[in-house]
Amino acid sequence: MSELTLRANNGAHYKTDFLSWFDGIDAMLKPTPDAPLPNVLVHVARITKTPAGMTPGGMLLINPDNKEMPDVFGFICEDEELGKYYGPKIFKGTPFENAPVLKANISVQVDFPNKVNTRIEVAGHVIELELSEFDEAQYYNRVGGMPFTQNVVEALAHKAVIKFDGRILEGALPPDGIGGGLPAVYSPSGLYYI
């Protein structure tokens, strides 16, 4: 575990399930603009905080060729035990509820508003995402569309470059993200709660 990973009491005595973060970066691509779900999703943070503890973490769906089995799918986390909180506690009722948890090395570099990038090493693969051409960061409160309420500060990125094992993944950002969110964002801080 790195110095960013701390374990807590696994959520005992919390009436509300929550996940907050610091320095989040995410983007998605869809196989077609009207597809209901993405085939590429990178959603990570320098630090995630839950009642179970805090650690770098997030979620991935990497299936650029639309295969029956994605290249990478699941929650990613520096500490697998902490990652087990995400699915059943926060993403109930979504395709990620029972997703596997994969141990990953996650680094996030922030030079906002110029660029923000992440490099993820997981399951023998390297995923890189660089965002740029940002709008100003602003607050959003989103209810519905996901099992949790979102209170977030986000800056929309108009340019996203996603690489999978050095290959730039083709595709345009869709107009909207999952659950009414933005398709590519830097989020300095935010909270999901049930």
Side-chain angles (χ1 to χ4, degrees):
M1 290 190 302
S2 80
E3 61 188 39
L4 295 177
T5 298
L6 298 172
R7 290 192 181 180
N9 66 2
N10 294 320
H13 304 292
Y14 285 85
K15 188 173 180 179
T16 300
D17 292 319
F18 70 88
L19 185 154
S20 63
W21 64 87
F22 170 71
D23 278 346
I25 174 173
D26 53 278
M28 60 182 277
L29 300 174
K30 289 185 175 181
T32 62
D34 60 345
L37 294 172
N39 61 340
V40 174
L41 173 67
V42 179
H43 186 74
V44 299
R46 181 190 310 265
I47 198 74
T48 61
K49 172 90 169 71
T50 72
M54 58 186 258
T55 191
M59 58 200 297
L60 288 176
L61 169 61
I62 307 295
N63 191 13
D65 302 316
N66 300 308
K67 298 184 284 191
E68 188 173 327
M69 292 297 295
D71 297 285
V72 182
F73 172 72
F75 293 103
I76 58 170
C77 200
E78 184 175 283
D79 183 301
E80 291 174 82
E81 285 303 308
L82 295 182
K84 291 177 183 177
Y85 183 92
Y86 303 156
K89 297 291 189 176
I90 303 298
F91 289 88
K92 294 179 249 192
T94 75
F96 276 89
E97 180 177 3
N98 297 306
V101 178
L102 307 170
K103 187 170 176 62
N105 291 322
I106 301 165
S107 64
V108 175
Q109 296 80 38
V110 176
D111 182 22
F112 181 76
N114 299 312
K115 67 179 180 177
V116 178
N117 57 53
T118 185
R119 177 184 167 91
I120 303 154
E121 297 175 20
V122 60
H125 298 286
V126 175
I127 296 99
E128 297 166 282
L129 167 60
E130 181 173 290
L131 301 180
S132 58
E133 300 178 15
F134 292 99
D135 287 351
E136 291 182 343
Q138 60 182 333
Y139 171 76
Y140 294 91
N141 173 268
R142 297 188 188 100
V143 179
M146 294 299 273
F148 45 80
T149 297
Q150 303 178 44
N151 284 290
V152 298
V153 176
E154 294 178 337
L156 173 66
H158 293 276
K159 183 176 181 185
V161 177
I162 302 172
K163 292 181 184 178
F164 179 57
D165 291 335
R167 166 188 165 198
I168 296 177
L169 301 183
E170 301 299 326
L173 294 171
D176 297 303
I178 297 175
L182 304 174
V185 302
Y186 164 59
S187 178
S189 185
L191 172 69
Y192 296 159
Y193 66 90
I194 303 290

